[in-house]
Amino acid sequence: MLTRRTFAAVLIAALAMPTLAAAQATTPSAATIERQLEAAPKVKLRPNQRVTIREFKRRPDLRRMARSIDIQSINFAFGSAAISESQYGKIENIADALRRILRRDRGARILIEGHTDAVGSFQSNQILSEQRAASLKRTLVREFGVPGHALETVGYGEEFLLVQTQNENWRNRRVTLRRFDDFIR
């Protein structure tokens, strides 16, 4: 049985700590997304060093050099790639940033990477991450008018965990936007 003092302490602690929902609900602003994807490239590749899109997707060393931003706030239901309309406000930030970038640079190309946590089989997480990346692209194109030709998708499943754990962790369930036009032929 909780005493008043214990109840008050628990209540204060709960109010002082950010909740999981609040942490997940934080979406970078369109300006922040735009700034990250428009920053000066970390590395300039010579034309003979450029690769195909397929090679870029397979090379973590190149992807790490590309301008990018993790978006951890798009909430998918467990085991689902569907994006509910309740998430559209978050996606609108992404769409606004991408449209502004593409207005200034029609050759800009963005890779949407899907990631999962390590719960479930490697194969099911791989498929789910691919479906989530494709779902975000579809929503950006159909609902927000982002040109589809500027977007590529790939899923990495549980391969690139932010938090190294075999347990559920919301920070690992994310999409990463990565600007790659500086890297391809």
Side-chain angles (χ1 to χ4, degrees):
M1 182 169 180
L2 289 178
T3 65
R4 283 185 188 198
R5 180 178 244 166
T6 305
F7 179 75
V10 170
L11 183 60
I12 289 169
L15 292 173
M17 298 173 80
T19 64
L20 176 62
Q24 287 179 315
T26 305
T27 301
S29 68
T32 299
I33 295 168
E34 186 177 3
R35 201 171 29 256
Q36 288 289 117
L37 297 177
E38 287 277 274
K42 296 173 187 171
V43 173
K44 277 281 206 186
L45 294 183
R46 293 186 303 266
N48 67 333
Q49 294 176 308
R50 291 181 174 226
V51 297
T52 65
I53 295 169
R54 185 180 204 159
E55 289 174 283
F56 181 79
K57 290 177 181 181
R58 291 183 183 164
R59 297 215 16 218
D61 60 319
L62 289 179
R63 289 195 316 278
R64 279 191 297 273
M65 290 188 256
R67 301 168 274 183
S68 66
I69 187 166
D70 284 327
I71 310 289
Q72 296 174 311
S73 59
I74 299 172
N75 300 310
F76 294 95
F78 183 78
S80 172
I83 297 176
S84 69
E85 286 187 29
S86 68
Q87 301 299 302
Y88 282 13
K90 299 171 187 179
I91 295 170
E92 188 170 17
N93 286 355
I94 298 168
D96 289 347
L98 296 180
R99 286 190 303 256
R100 287 197 297 254
I101 290 168
L102 290 165
R103 270 196 295 272
R104 281 192 304 281
D105 183 356
R106 295 180 70 121
R109 303 286 301 274
I110 306 296
L111 180 64
I112 301 170
E113 299 177 358
H115 301 273
T116 65
D117 59 24
V119 176
S121 73
F122 184 87
Q123 184 177 12
S124 65
N125 283 333
Q126 178 62 38
I127 291 167
L128 183 58
S129 68
E130 292 169 7
Q131 292 171 338
R132 286 177 173 173
S135 182
L136 179 57
K137 177 182 177 177
R138 195 170 34 257
T139 302
L140 285 166
V141 171
R142 290 181 184 168
E143 301 297 329
F144 295 96
V146 176
H149 68 83
L151 305 174
E152 286 284 330
T153 63
V154 67
Y156 291 114
E158 60 191 69
E159 192 172 351
F160 300 104
L161 298 174
L162 288 179
V163 178
Q164 296 298 317
T165 180
Q166 293 301 304
N167 298 320
E168 181 179 340
N169 191 300
W170 65 268
R171 288 173 292 208
N172 288 325
R173 294 188 303 262
R174 69 195 188 282
V175 294
T176 300
L177 304 177
R178 198 171 304 276
R179 179 128 180 223
F180 69 94
D181 43 286
D182 296 328
F183 294 86
I184 58 168
R185 296 182 194 132

